[in-house]
Amino acid sequence: MGVRRSIVPWICDFLRNRQQCVRYNSVLSDYSTLHGGVPQGTKFQILINEAAQEAGSRCWKYVDDLTFAENFSGGCASSLQDDLDQFSEWASDSHLKLNPSKCQAMQIAFSNPLPPHRDLRIGTEPLSYVTEAKVLGLWLQNKLKWNVQMDAMLKRANSRYSII
């Protein structure tokens, strides 16, 4: 994965003999040593690199988010379902369970009405199509307009302004 050999012992030490406690209201429990598992997202982040490399330029990865994209015109055949099938198979082989209810599809087009979308699924679960989605903190819309992003930024700015 391109990690310098000198870093590997540090990573192992980070994952070994981890301790945690629980805070309830203002009271902390005693610390206990964890005998299994890794910090949330760690295993997935390491494994997802492999999946992203296989998909190449058809996906964007940031930490534990993976976004597949495809650019095609009307009469072309889509390969996006093939990518989703390969990713599902990789996840299964890696003993990871995907949650299709957290996945969405968006068709970006300027025509009115939109052309019929292709049915996409993860396993047997169909993906729902949305007209807007938040990707890495940015609201994308299927017509590539900016009103939803601007509204979110204004709302955030107004809430901070009221603090001042």
Side-chain angles (χ1 to χ4, degrees):
M1 292 182 60
V3 176
R4 290 194 326 237
R5 283 180 129 352
S6 61
I7 303 284
V8 173
W10 180 85
I11 294 171
C12 292
D13 189 52
F14 170 74
L15 296 173
R16 190 179 301 121
N17 297 321
R18 296 184 58 77
Q19 292 192 325
Q20 78 175 23
C21 68
V22 175
R23 178 188 313 238
Y24 181 72
N25 291 329
S26 60
V27 179
L28 288 178
S29 70
D30 293 333
Y31 279 86
S32 295
T33 301
L34 302 176
H35 299 288
V38 294
Q40 182 178 356
T42 304
K43 181 178 179 184
F44 186 75
Q45 290 174 24
I46 292 168
L47 290 172
I48 199 77
N49 285 329
E50 178 185 329
Q53 287 172 349
E54 288 180 21
S57 64
R58 296 181 314 275
C59 75
W60 306 304
K61 179 186 76 72
Y62 183 77
V63 186
D64 61 353
D65 286 338
L66 187 66
T67 301
F68 285 91
E70 177 180 54
N71 183 8
F72 67 94
S73 56
C76 298
S78 172
S79 64
L80 198 51
Q81 185 59 57
D82 294 337
D83 291 340
L84 291 173
D85 291 342
Q86 287 175 4
F87 182 67
S88 295
E89 185 177 331
W90 169 85
S92 177
D93 291 347
S94 300
H95 308 288
L96 296 172
K97 185 174 180 180
L98 299 178
N99 187 349
S101 69
K102 291 186 174 183
C103 301
Q104 302 168 326
M106 179 188 296
Q107 179 176 341
I108 297 175
F110 297 108
S111 61
N112 223 353
L114 287 173
H117 60 75
R118 294 177 164 95
D119 291 330
L120 296 173
R121 66 188 184 298
I122 293 181
T124 59
E125 296 291 319
L127 297 184
S128 60
Y129 272 79
V130 296
T131 59
E132 57 196 43
K134 194 171 188 180
V135 179
L136 300 179
L138 178 71
W139 281 98
L140 297 178
Q141 294 175 259
N142 66 339
K143 298 284 188 179
L144 294 183
K145 296 198 181 282
W146 291 102
N147 58 307
V148 173
Q149 176 65 25
M150 294 304 294
D151 289 347
M153 291 171 64
L154 284 172
K155 182 178 179 183
R156 189 171 175 194
N158 284 332
S159 69
R160 291 185 179 184
Y161 177 71
S162 67
I163 293 171
I164 294 173

